[in-house]
Amino acid sequence: MHRILVVDDDPHIRDVLCFALEKAGMVAEWAGNGVDALDLATRNPPSLVVLDVGMPEMDGLEVCRRLRRASDVPILFLSARDEEIDRVLGLEMGGDDYVTKPFSPRELVARVNVILRRARGPAPAPTAQEGEPPLTRGALVLDSAGHRATVAGRELGLTAREFMMVKTLATRPAVVFTRNQLMDAAYPDNIHVSDRTIDSHVRNIRAKFQAAGCEDAVETVHGVGFRLGGCTVGTAS
């Protein structure tokens, strides 16, 4: 049974959404702010998050940004504003869909079902043959069997989709991969995502490498795509 986390500071909207989702056979839980949402999502990861953009203190975009550091959980944004820049920004940051208020609870439930059918849970980690050696590139070590990526011994904490993208790049480090090729690697279940979603994944991957002291993990080849860099770790002077 799918568990849906509803995050909105308006108790009326939370009640309407939770009732509609439970009527559709799902388990609904809620959070009234971004901090509680992150805590709930970390302790008991949901199948999908319905996330209001315009919350005080920590808005939905920041919640999404933090979730995407370690999770590929599907996210459906809610917003009282119907401006293209808001929709584009939400999708660029890793959102799966965007609904503006006021909305039909029935339509929202239908969109939730579509996203869940597409996602079918977290993307599977790349499989490895028994005894397959880890992939290495500079300070990077990719252990497919254990689904671990480390730089100079420091674990990167890649999500399943990020791991698949890095593994694709590491398998043929001299090759420049297009966004479509990386899309096929990260979304083998034929989910359609935009180029901006791939760019968002690449930004997150780079940030995780940089936090481990590696500044040259993914190189952009303008007009073509991306390739794996040297994956070196700088030495402080």
Side-chain angles (χ1 to χ4, degrees):
M1 186 176 293
H2 293 298
R3 290 179 48 259
I4 312 300
L5 174 59
V6 176
V7 187
D8 199 300
D9 61 325
D10 186 327
H12 174 68
I13 290 178
R14 294 198 306 261
D15 289 346
V16 169
L17 285 177
C18 288
F19 177 80
L21 292 165
E22 289 174 350
K23 187 177 179 181
M26 306 177 203
V27 175
E29 58 183 10
W30 61 268
N33 59 68
V35 174
D36 289 347
L38 290 171
D39 181 59
L40 283 171
T42 301
R43 288 191 290 107
N44 194 10
S47 305
L48 181 144
V49 179
V50 178
L51 182 57
D52 182 35
V53 172
M55 294 184 295
E57 297 183 19
M58 184 188 297
D59 65 20
L61 296 177
E62 178 61 23
V63 174
C64 176
R65 183 181 294 110
R66 298 192 187 191
L67 282 174
R68 282 291 173 260
R69 292 174 184 170
S71 173
D72 291 316
V73 62
I75 296 173
L76 188 156
F77 280 114
L78 293 177
S79 177
R81 299 174 58 182
D82 186 18
E83 294 188 10
E84 182 181 11
I85 185 62
D86 292 333
R87 295 196 301 274
V88 169
L89 184 58
L91 296 174
E92 280 185 347
M93 293 180 60
D96 294 85
D97 203 351
Y98 195 104
V99 175
T100 55
K101 302 176 184 178
F103 56 85
S104 160
R106 181 177 297 179
E107 178 190 356
L108 187 136
V109 169
R111 289 183 182 234
V112 166
N113 279 320
V114 168
I115 296 171
L116 291 172
R117 282 198 300 271
R118 287 189 322 209
R120 296 188 180 278
T127 58
Q129 298 295 324
E130 186 175 354
E132 178 184 340
L135 289 170
T136 61
R137 171 77 166 175
L140 170 67
V141 178
L142 283 175
D143 176 10
S144 295
H147 193 238
R148 296 180 69 245
T150 60
V151 168
R154 181 172 177 177
E155 189 149 3
L156 295 176
L158 300 178
T159 68
R161 299 197 193 280
E162 292 166 357
F163 189 95
M164 294 169 81
M165 290 175 64
V166 173
K167 182 179 180 182
T168 298
L169 295 170
T171 301
R172 302 173 68 189
V175 173
V176 178
F177 288 85
T178 66
R179 285 174 173 80
N180 284 338
Q181 288 172 318
L182 290 180
M183 192 182 304
D184 290 341
Y187 294 87
D189 34 12
N190 294 318
I191 297 175
H192 174 72
V193 297
S194 70
D195 288 351
R196 291 188 175 95
T197 301
I198 296 300
D199 291 344
S200 177
H201 284 310
V202 170
R203 283 196 298 272
N204 289 339
I205 290 168
R206 282 174 170 154
K208 291 177 181 182
F209 272 86
Q210 288 167 358
C214 176
E215 299 287 341
D216 61 348
V218 182
E219 298 176 351
T220 299
V221 180
H222 294 289
V224 184
F226 304 96
R227 68 178 165 223
L228 195 65
C231 297
T232 57
V233 175
T235 303
S237 57

